[in-house]
Amino acid sequence: MLYLFLKFNFKQALNKLLEKLSGWMDAIILKLPNLLIAIIVMIGFYFLAKAISRTSKKYLFKKIKQESIKDLSTKFVFGFVVLLGFFLALGIMDLDKVLTSVLAGAGVAGLAIGLAVQATLSNSVSGIMLSFIPSLRIGDYVETNGYLGFVSEINLRSIVLRKPDNNYVVIPNSKIVDNPFTNYSLTERSRIGVSCGVGYESDLQKVEDLVKKSIAGEFPQKDNEGVEFFFTEFGDSSINFVVRFWIDMQKNKHVLEAEHTAIKTIRQRFDAEGIVIPFPIRTLRLPEGLKTENQK
């Protein structure tokens, strides 16, 4: 008796399942033309979004000087057109009620997602901020978070720097906003310093005049600039000094080139004038009675 009851219920459930599947298949077949049209619309809007964003960047945003703002605006245009196509595709498939439900639940879902991806949202907001500040542009040479490099990309998640060794480093936007950075491309001129030392027997005034004249001849100084010379300390075997001067500088290579030239110039002039750059001197005192190898 129990067997017959279970068999009857199983057949009844199976029949209901088949009826449901049959209804779904009929609905899919009836909606198939709309589904195909919706897919075509989405594909069309995707390519339309690419064309509109590309045209906008080329013509509509051409007066914007900052490349990062152009890129961000182009992405917003692309996303807006694709979203418009998505809503239109839902309307074609008669899914307006689904869309209403999605929008109604967007507030709760948005709150939950926001709490789950706080770091990502922070980077996105920071990316928007960085795209609009004039002190950071594509192609600038910057130093931040312990890295030096050229800004190659600013997106909604991170900044990409191309380091002098041609490797790339990706830094989250929030790290840039929360920490100081130096942009070497904002100024055309920078001041650098080169340190050296001369022997205690040297004429210090002659050393100062010679170094200042040599550096000024090699690196012309502009208005409100000049070569600065300062003796800094009595060293173990030399009197040390630092000479500071201005150069054209937009990246670290310019500093290295200027230091290279300055060192060569100072050494050549010192050799010509008989000024000695002494080696470090160490005096060793041996215990009395200790014989060296030559004394054995």
Side-chain angles (χ1 to χ4, degrees), residues 83-150:
L83 191 63
L84 187 63
F86 174 71
F87 288 154
L88 184 59
L90 288 179
I92 292 174
M93 295 179 64
D94 295 329
L95 296 177
D96 297 349
K97 293 182 178 180
V98 175
L99 178 59
T100 303
S101 301
V102 169
L103 293 176
V108 178
L111 178 61
I113 294 173
L115 294 175
V117 293
Q118 291 184 33
T120 302
L121 292 176
S122 175
N123 286 327
S124 299
V125 174
S126 299
I128 296 174
M129 293 171 57
L130 292 174
S131 297
F132 284 90
I133 62 174
S135 56
L136 189 66
R137 303 160 298 184
I138 300 294
D140 284 354
Y141 189 74
V142 302
E143 180 178 8
T144 180
N145 291 273
Y147 296 99
L148 273 166
F150 296 93

Side-chain angles (χ1 to χ4, degrees), residues 8-21:
F8 175 76
N9 284 344
F10 176 76
K11 287 184 177 180
Q12 188 177 15
L14 182 60
N15 290 334
K16 289 183 177 180
L17 177 61
L18 292 176
E19 289 177 3
K20 197 69 174 178
L21 292 175

Side-chain angles (χ1 to χ4, degrees), residues 3 16 40 42 71 77 84 104 159 163 165 182 211 223 252 273 276:
Y3 171 75
K16 289 183 177 180
I40 293 173
M42 280 300 302
D71 293 339
V77 170
L84 187 63
I159 281 183
K163 299 192 296 181
D165 60 7
T182 302
V211 171
D223 295 338
N252 195 52
E273 297 293 331
V276 177

